[in-house]
């Protein structure tokens, strides 16, 4: 052990307060030097104020000294007491300011949490405007068939990644996690809305917020199949339209069938774990039991799927065929996501905006 450590047994811990004060002074000096290059007038004004304060302090110091010299020590002590009480009052003022600041931060956090859905919905609206303007800008110059396919895939795939099931739930006792969880839920609802509105209005010529140059008729033709005409016209490629509808519905049926298979396998594994070996029925009966239980668990989701698909097609049939094409791309992308993220097949349903809306409207 060195002589220095023997004389200072606490080591650096003893001087931590001094080091902290010196660090603050260095940071403050650095800020002043940096600010002097950016706002020299402001820094000059602050230095002048600081110079005046120091001048007043020096004048008071000499006045007290002169009072003692001329035999006014008692009065000098009284002035020192006044200065001390003023300093203590200033400390109380600092404590009050700290209290008000903490209260302000607490109220601000509460407000931000309350307004989080608004922030998410505003962001979604901004994204919708940007997407529709991009679509219309390209559509003013080119055929939008390829753009529609590519944009639909990117939007649905991105939404699927955002909305993918979470293995670990956040600790909601932390304010940051509360904000992110609430923002995520609201943002997902908002994205669902803007996706539906985008596909509904992608061909509209009367969107009020678009400039006049983008209020145009779009063109989308694939192998003489005009995607901008109404979906069902008996004399115009009716078989192609029916095939598009079939493709979209079949893909959705395959997705739900995969969910049933995965859930049935999970139930089958649970039965194997919970039923003693000597009491197990034959494999066929166990599979049937697992399928029946799975179907019972997923029946409500299947009803919602059938209802949603029926309503969606009923609405889109009234519009150009381009929207039917987007349904095919959406279904294909969702199937790809289900294969890429198997947890989607076993995720609990009923909390998304579509499910909540169907439950409320059709009393499901």
């Amino acid at each position: 052990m060195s002589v220095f450590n023997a004389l200072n047994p606490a080591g650096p811990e003893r001087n931590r307060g001094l080091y902290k004060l010196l660090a603050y002074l260095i940071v403050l000096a650095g800020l002043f030097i940096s600010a002097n290059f950016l706002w020299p007038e402001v820094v000059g004004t602050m230095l002048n104020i600081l110079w005046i304060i120091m001048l007043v302090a020096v004048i008071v110091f000499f006045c007290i000294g002169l009072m003692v010299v001329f035999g006014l020590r008692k009065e000098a002590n009284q002035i020192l007491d006044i200065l001390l009480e003023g300093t203590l009052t200033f400390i109380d003022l600092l404590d009050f300011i700290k209290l008000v600041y903490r209260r302000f931060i607490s109220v601000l956090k509460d407000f931000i949490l309350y307004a989080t859905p608004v922030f998410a919905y505003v962001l979604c609206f901004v994204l919708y405007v940007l997407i529709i303007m991009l679509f219309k800008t390209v559509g003013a110059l080119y055929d939008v068939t390829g753009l529609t396919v590519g944009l639909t895939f990117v939007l649905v795939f991105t939404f699927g990644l955002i909305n993918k099931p979470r293995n670990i739930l956040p600790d909601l006792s932390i304010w940051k996690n509360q904000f992110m969880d609430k923002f995520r839920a609201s943002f997902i609802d908002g994205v669902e809305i803007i996706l539906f509105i985008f596909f509904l209005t992608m061909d509209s010529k009367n969107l009020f917020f678009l400039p006049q140059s983008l209020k145009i008729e779009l063109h989308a033709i694939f192998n003489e199949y005009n995607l901008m005409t109404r979906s069902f016209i008996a004399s115009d490629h009716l078989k192609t339209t029916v095939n598009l509808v079939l493709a979209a519905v079949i893909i959705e049926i395959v997705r739900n069938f995969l969910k049933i298979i995965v859930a049935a396998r999970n139930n089958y594994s649970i039965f194997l774990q919970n039923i003693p070996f000597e009491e197990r029925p034959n494999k066929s009966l166990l599979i049937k039991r697992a399928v029946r239980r799975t179907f019972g668990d997923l029946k409500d989701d299947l009803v919602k799927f059938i209802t949603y698909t029926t309503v969606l097609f009923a609405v889109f049939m009234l519009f150009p065929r381009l929207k039917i094409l987007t349904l095919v791309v959406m279904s294909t992308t969702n199937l790809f996501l289900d294969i890429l993220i198997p947890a989607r097949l076993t995720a609990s349903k009923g909390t998304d905006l579509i499910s909540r809306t169907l439950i409320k409207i059709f009393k499901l």
Side-chain angles (χ1 to χ4, degrees):
M1 180 182 294
S2 66
V3 176
F4 178 80
N5 288 335
L7 295 175
N8 299 277
E13 296 293 333
R14 187 176 181 179
N15 299 317
R16 175 166 293 182
L18 177 61
Y19 294 159
K20 192 173 182 180
L21 176 61
L22 291 175
Y24 283 147
L25 291 176
I26 293 172
V27 171
L28 184 61
L31 291 176
F32 262 102
I33 294 172
S34 301
N36 189 46
F37 292 105
L38 300 174
W39 308 286
E41 296 84 2
V42 176
V43 174
T45 303
M46 294 177 64
L47 290 176
N48 287 334
I49 294 173
L50 182 62
W51 182 84
I52 293 172
I53 292 174
M54 290 189 296
L55 179 62
V56 171
V58 171
I59 292 173
V60 172
F61 176 83
F62 283 125
C63 287
I64 294 174
L66 290 173
M67 290 175 69
V68 175
V69 170
F70 288 107
L72 299 174
R73 182 173 180 176
K74 182 178 179 180
E75 288 76 6
N77 288 333
Q78 291 177 350
I79 293 176
L80 288 175
D81 290 338
I82 293 172
L83 292 175
L84 174 63
E85 291 301 324
T87 303
L88 296 178
T89 303
F90 180 72
I91 293 174
D92 292 336
L93 177 62
L94 289 179
D95 290 337
F96 176 73
I97 293 174
K98 289 180 181 179
L99 180 63
V100 171
Y101 173 75
R102 294 192 191 101
R103 179 58 182 162
F104 171 76
I105 294 298
S106 177
V107 173
L108 181 63
K109 286 182 176 180
D110 291 339
F111 169 74
I112 291 175
L113 283 179
Y114 178 80
T116 296
V118 178
F119 300 147
Y121 297 149
V122 169
L123 177 59
C124 289
F125 178 73
V126 172
L127 290 175
Y128 164 71
V129 173
L130 293 176
I131 293 170
I132 197 72
M133 290 189 68
L134 169 66
F135 189 79
K136 293 288 188 177
T137 301
V138 176
L141 302 173
Y142 306 101
D143 184 285
V144 295
T145 304
L147 177 64
T148 301
V149 173
L151 194 58
T152 303
F153 174 81
V154 171
L155 292 176
V156 176
F157 186 82
T158 303
F159 175 72
L161 293 181
I162 296 173
N163 196 28
K164 69 178 181 179
R166 293 182 291 180
N167 296 326
I168 302 176
L169 296 178
D171 181 7
L172 297 182
S173 62
I174 301 174
W175 182 86
K176 180 182 177 182
N177 291 342
Q178 291 182 43
F179 172 78
M180 294 304 298
D181 187 72
K182 198 170 184 180
F183 184 87
R184 178 179 181 272
S186 301
F187 185 72
I188 288 172
D189 285 350
V191 171
E192 282 192 76
I193 294 172
I194 68 164
L195 284 179
F196 180 77
I197 295 177
F198 169 71
F199 292 127
L200 203 61
T201 61
M202 60 196 305
D203 61 321
S204 176
K205 296 182 288 185
N206 300 311
L207 296 177
F208 68 93
F209 55 85
L210 290 179
Q212 196 63 37
S213 60
L214 296 181
K215 295 180 180 180
I216 55 173
E217 183 176 352
L218 300 176
H219 300 280
I221 299 176
F222 182 74
N223 288 341
E224 299 184 355
Y225 182 66
N226 191 349
L227 292 163
M228 298 308 298
T229 59
R230 190 161 51 86
S231 294
F232 276 97
I233 300 178
S235 59
D236 186 8
H237 298 87
L238 178 61
K239 185 177 180 181
T240 303
T241 304
V242 172
N243 288 338
L244 286 175
V245 174
L246 287 176
V249 175
I250 292 299
I251 293 173
E252 288 296 326
I253 292 175
V254 170
R255 288 184 60 224
N256 282 270
F257 186 68
L258 288 176
K259 293 177 183 178
I260 293 176
I261 292 176
V262 172
R265 288 184 61 183
N266 291 340
N267 285 329
Y268 179 80
S269 300
I270 292 173
F271 288 155
L272 288 180
Q273 293 174 1
N274 295 335
I275 300 176
F277 180 79
E278 60 277 4
E279 298 179 7
R280 290 178 189 171
N282 62 57
K283 189 174 182 180
S284 298
L285 292 176
L286 207 57
I287 292 175
K288 290 180 180 179
R289 185 186 300 181
V291 171
R292 288 192 182 98
R293 179 173 177 176
T294 301
F295 189 78
D297 294 339
L298 297 180
K299 188 182 296 183
D300 289 341
D301 289 333
L302 291 174
V303 171
K304 294 171 192 172
F305 152 69
I306 295 172
T307 306
Y308 168 69
T309 304
T310 302
V311 171
L312 194 63
F313 274 95
V315 172
F316 277 21
M317 290 300 179
L318 304 175
F319 294 94
R321 300 159 174 170
L322 187 67
K323 301 183 191 298
I324 304 297
L325 177 64
T326 63
L327 291 179
V328 177
V329 179
M330 287 172 60
S331 299
T332 305
T333 307
N334 280 320
L335 178 61
F336 176 69
L337 282 168
D338 290 341
I339 298 172
L340 185 66
I341 310 174
R344 283 167 51 96
L345 297 172
T346 56
S348 59
K349 302 296 179 182
T351 58
D352 57 284
L353 181 63
I354 293 174
S355 296
R356 299 200 304 269
T357 304
L358 291 176
I359 291 171
K360 186 174 183 179
I361 294 176
F362 297 103
K363 311 296 181 184
L364 299 177

